[in-house]
Amino acid sequence: ELNGSTLRAKYWSSADHEPNEWMITVEDSTYSNGIVGLNVWSGHAHIAYLKVTPYDKQGQPKVYLHSRQKVFDSNESVPVSLSVSSPKEMPATAKFVVLDSLRKVTEFSRKLTVKNGIDVFEYQWNTGTYPDGLYRLQAQLYSGTKNIGEDEFTFRIISSERIRHTLAEVKPKLKAFTSQIEKAKAQGVPVDYSTVTKRVAEDFLVYAEDDLNKRKLERARRIADHLATSMEKAQAELRQMSDYPEKQLH
């Protein structure tokens, strides 16, 4: 929690309840603007960022929207932090709007009280049934009907279930391609190129499943899509070579 020049923190095991008392309190007025990061020396932890902003000349609040990640699985609960720096206490409404490239997809809001200094409000929202794609999340802060600050960030939704479905379809194709290679080899058809293609596909299938387990969804999706198309192409090319051996290139 950041309040003015006072930074307080606490930590606990994921298996325990959050402690009531703050464990660390630090006073530091060195920085008047920028982003303050919190990290750990060992183990695994999310990095938290707090935006430190000076008030503008009119004394209006400054708004900063942040999420710990920019790629989300479909139907994933997404933590979003909204930092508001304000020179005075005021009632406000934080309105969130999700847009794809063409239109507004959804919106939701929450009433809050902005206090003196810097307040950080964290929300959890669900990506629901949004299709894969690129989206923008806008945060707009209102006092009454007046828009007093806003920020936005771009994120991507990639469905892990779609990736798993694609990989599940690739596996029987790879098995069929292996049988196709053995049959072509028995017919005297050169299969060196096809054999290399099969081995590469087997390796990349392992890479994709590993990326999926580690939540590296962008790379897992690219590999899965490439395997799906390359398997169909490789099977068609080998089929053509087996059907018309006189047209093979030497």
Side-chain angles (χ1 to χ4, degrees), residues 110-158:
R110 176 180 170 179
K111 292 183 178 180
L112 48 89
T113 298
V114 176
K115 300 179 181 179
N116 302 342
I118 298 179
D119 297 325
V120 179
F121 308 93
E122 183 164 280
Y123 305 92
Q124 294 249 340
W125 61 286
N126 198 291
T127 54
T129 56
Y130 303 163
D132 287 12
L134 201 62
Y135 297 85
R136 285 183 297 135
L137 176 61
Q138 294 179 341
Q140 302 164 343
L141 193 67
Y142 288 87
S143 179
T145 59
K146 182 180 179 182
N147 186 336
I148 56 177
E150 60 184 36
D151 193 18
E152 71 172 48
F153 74 86
T154 301
F155 65 97
R156 185 178 296 277
I157 291 178
I158 299 176

Side-chain angles (χ1 to χ4, degrees), residues 27 45 52 63 69 75 124 143 153 161 164 166 180 214 238 240-241 244 246:
E27 292 282 343
V52 182
V63 177
Q69 61 196 72
N75 292 304
Q124 294 249 340
S143 179
F153 74 86
E161 286 304 313
R164 288 190 178 91
T166 301
Q180 189 180 357
K214 294 178 178 178
L238 184 56
Q240 186 177 29
M241 292 177 66
Y244 303 100
E246 69 278 4

